[in-house]
Amino acid sequence: MDRIMSPGTNAAQNSKRMKLLLTAILLLCIAAGLLGCSAAEENDADDTPVEVTVDAPSTVSASNISGLSLTVEKKEYFSSDAKIAYSLENSTDTEYTFDASTVSIEALRDGEWYRLAFRTDQDDLAFYSEGCVVTPHSVWTGVESFYFYGDLVPAGTYRLVIGLTPDSDLDPSVIEYVVAEFSVVE
């Protein structure tokens, strides 16, 4: 048997389909909005600055070699400053070397120095280490970055530490440390 539809029945079915379609679109929009809010909250969490944290107590004591000195460009940095410019003066007759592995920043906490911990929120955190030579009677200038330690540097007292190996010594484990203190303010 052939089914015969009246024009009114076809219009009623189309109206019903249209309502279902609009309801489905409305539900998809609501779901997309909820997912968008969730993603925005996730992104906000990713944008939260990582605070600089301390790692372990420092074992470094400053060198007593006359003629080696380390100074930082400013004695006071803002927490928004990302880099610390420094100068390393060698007024001795000895050549010294250092690399990134012997440069660190330490924080003063409760009267003791602590080495800053490297940040853990960056999977691709890497740097290369090129040896630097500080020749006799010269000044080496460089820059150290807080980026490797975190984004938010709390106010406090810090020091830049550089370990130098004298080239006249055949034992590479002999390291002389020079330090320069500075403050971070908000």
Side-chain angles (χ1 to χ4, degrees):
M1 273 207 232
D2 287 336
R3 198 170 186 177
I4 301 174
M5 295 189 156
S6 69
T9 307
N10 198 16
Q13 285 180 344
N14 285 340
S15 175
K16 202 180 226 184
R17 286 183 187 144
M18 188 59 99
K19 285 181 183 176
L20 283 173
L21 182 61
L22 289 175
T23 303
I25 291 173
L26 179 64
L27 289 174
L28 284 173
C29 289
I30 290 171
L34 290 175
L35 288 174
C37 289
S38 174
E41 288 171 12
E42 225 174 80
N43 286 342
D44 287 346
D46 291 344
D47 292 340
T48 302
V50 177
E51 185 170 338
V52 171
T53 58
V54 294
D55 192 10
S58 175
T59 59
V60 171
S61 58
S63 173
N64 59 0
I65 294 179
S66 179
L68 280 181
S69 64
L70 177 64
T71 56
V72 288
E73 182 180 49
K74 302 186 281 188
K75 286 294 182 183
E76 195 172 86
Y77 289 86
F78 291 103
S79 58
S80 59
D81 290 338
K83 297 183 180 184
I84 303 157
Y86 64 88
S87 297
L88 177 58
E89 184 174 357
N90 179 6
S91 300
T92 72
D93 293 329
T94 304
E95 185 172 271
Y96 289 88
T97 59
F98 70 97
D99 62 28
S101 69
T102 62
V103 178
S104 63
I105 298 176
E106 297 180 351
L108 185 62
R109 301 283 193 265
D110 299 325
E112 285 193 63
W113 291 104
Y114 289 85
R115 187 176 184 145
L116 297 185
F118 284 109
R119 67 190 306 158
T120 58
D121 65 319
Q122 300 292 325
D123 292 334
D124 61 351
L125 184 64
F127 56 91
Y128 71 95
S129 183
E130 183 177 308
C132 304
V133 178
V134 187
T135 58
H137 308 285
S138 69
V139 176
W140 173 272
T141 59
V143 176
E144 182 62 15
S145 174
F146 273 113
Y147 176 77
F148 295 111
Y149 307 101
D151 297 325
L152 178 62
V153 183
T157 303
Y158 294 84
R159 70 180 184 177
L160 177 64
V161 177
I162 298 179
L164 301 162
T165 303
D167 281 350
S168 62
D169 198 321
L170 298 177
D171 182 3
S173 66
V174 173
I175 297 178
E176 294 291 336
Y177 292 95
V178 290
V179 301
E181 288 187 34
F182 59 94
S183 297
V184 172
V185 296
E186 294 181 5

